[in-house]
Amino acid sequence: INAEYGEQCYSAMLEISIPSSRKSIQTVTYDIEIRDGNTLTKACHRYSEFEGMHKCLIKQFGDSKVISLPGKKLFGNMNAAYVEERREALEVYLKAICSDPNILLHSEDLWEFLGVVPAEVKVDKFVANVTSNSEDPKSEMADLAELSEDPESWPLLTAKQPLAALVQLCSSNWVKGEDCYAPNITVQEPLCRTMVNLCVEPANRQSLIEAGGFMATLTLLSHINPEEQRVLKGAMHIVSTMARPETVRGILVAGGMKALSSFIAEEAQLPQVSDAVALFCWRASCSHEGRSGLIAAGGLQLLNKMPVSYTHLTLPTKRIV
């Protein structure tokens, strides 16, 4: 799985425990806790359900690839000491199953049993969907947005392929909708939220910029309906955050101003694009790194290409001068 996602690795598996068991008159159920990053999920199963899941794993992976399930006992299986012994054995079994990447990442029977789909699987599905461009990725994008709320998932999301898929999605037909003012808000909103969350960390922000995330954000902005204020503000926040001192030179040195100038020539008639350019220049001009970078990259020439009536450009122009 690490090879699929490029240079960065994310090998954390699910944390599994069976902290307790409960007895009724004829049955014993085992309480399972599954932690995936900061997310805690609980499940409850009888031994017979463990057995059913185990048979499915053997059918899919083969008997030699699956650890043995703790055995049955015909008599005395309701004895308190035996129930505790079995609880411990089932916990060892389940931890072993979930520590095997081949099983954890490919067994839908296991996911159904646990009530959890591993983060790696969600990201893999997102990348595959965006790459194939065959189905509306709103469900996968919603999963990714939820993952981005957890900083422990950031190394997985900022690997090479997921970032490339995020950037690709920004200019896809799934984001554009039928035309500029009939966008797919069910994709735009979680896409924007994911990028906002990732931009909190400067290292993530730099990785996103290197993957083409700055221009991708501007492209996304050009397809957002101005009436969707929440999404619009989110995209503006991404642009503003990327212009902070830690990462602004990464945009300017890599030819971002030239690309921005070309983009403005095509999209300047859209108010949200003009707003984004003004916001980027203003934020960049707030730091020495940004001002010197803007000057070296031809920032004044860019500002001069903007509509004369656009008064928001006054402050960054004065700062650069």
Side-chain angles (χ1 to χ4, degrees), residues 17 38 42 80 171 182 209 242 247-248 275 279 310:
S17 65
N38 289 335
K42 296 184 178 183
S171 58
I209 290 169
M242 286 181 172
T247 48
V248 65
D275 282 343
L279 181 61
Y310 199 70

Side-chain angles (χ1 to χ4, degrees), residues 55-76:
K55 289 177 181 177
C56 290
L57 294 182
I58 289 177
K59 184 177 180 180
Q60 182 177 356
F61 300 101
D63 190 46
S64 63
K65 301 294 184 181
V66 182
I67 187 175
S68 297
L69 179 71
K72 289 182 177 181
K73 187 176 181 181
L74 294 178
F75 302 102

Side-chain angles (χ1 to χ4, degrees), residues 28-259:
V28 178
T29 55
Y30 298 90
D31 299 316
I32 306 170
E33 293 187 353
I34 309 102
R35 186 173 292 278
D36 188 2
N38 289 335
T39 303
L40 177 65
T41 304
K42 296 184 178 183
C44 182
H45 290 292
R46 298 164 57 184
Y47 179 82
S48 60
E49 293 172 306
F50 276 88
E51 240 183 345
M53 185 268 293
H54 182 73
K55 289 177 181 177
C56 290
L57 294 182
I58 289 177
K59 184 177 180 180
Q60 182 177 356
F61 300 101
D63 190 46
S64 63
K65 301 294 184 181
V66 182
I67 187 175
S68 297
L69 179 71
K72 289 182 177 181
K73 187 176 181 181
L74 294 178
F75 302 102
N77 57 7
M78 298 294 287
N79 178 276
Y82 178 74
V83 169
E84 176 60 17
E85 180 183 330
R86 177 179 270 182
R87 181 197 66 78
E88 292 177 354
L90 288 174
E91 183 176 81
V92 171
Y93 164 82
L94 206 51
K95 283 183 175 180
I97 291 294
C98 292
S99 66
D100 184 334
N102 188 45
I103 295 176
L104 179 63
L105 300 178
H106 299 97
S107 174
E108 294 187 11
D109 295 297
L110 178 60
W111 306 341
E112 184 177 348
F113 180 83
L114 298 175
V116 170
V117 178
E120 293 93 332
V121 173
K122 293 178 180 179
V123 174
D124 193 27
K125 286 185 175 181
F126 168 75
V127 171
N129 189 317
V130 173
T131 303
S132 66
N133 196 33
S134 58
E135 295 181 8
D136 189 338
K138 63 181 179 182
S139 176
E140 290 80 6
M141 192 63 251
D143 286 340
L144 215 69
E146 184 178 348
L147 284 176
S148 73
E149 302 285 349
D150 181 4
E152 291 191 17
S153 296
W154 289 350
L156 178 62
L157 299 180
T158 54
K160 187 176 180 179
Q161 288 192 16
L163 284 183
L166 281 173
V167 169
Q168 180 181 338
L169 187 57
C170 286
S171 58
S172 73
N173 290 331
W174 301 113
V175 163
K176 294 177 184 178
E178 295 177 0
D179 56 61
C180 182
Y181 292 105
N184 190 346
I185 192 66
T186 60
V187 173
Q188 286 185 0
E189 191 279 332
L191 172 59
C192 194
R193 179 155 59 99
T194 299
M195 295 172 71
V196 167
N197 290 335
L198 291 180
C199 281
V200 168
E201 173 65 42
N204 295 345
R205 204 184 311 148
Q206 184 61 39
S207 296
L208 188 56
I209 290 169
E210 290 173 0
F214 178 66
M215 291 306 298
T217 303
L218 293 178
T219 301
L220 173 63
L221 264 166
S222 70
H223 299 303
I224 295 176
N225 187 331
E227 294 181 4
E228 297 290 349
Q229 284 295 306
R230 186 164 177 266
V231 182
L232 190 61
K233 287 179 180 179
M236 289 292 189
H237 179 77
I238 297 168
V239 171
S240 175
T241 306
M242 286 181 172
R244 288 180 178 175
E246 308 95 337
T247 48
V248 65
R249 287 192 67 83
I251 296 172
L252 300 174
V253 172
M257 293 302 287
K258 183 177 180 180

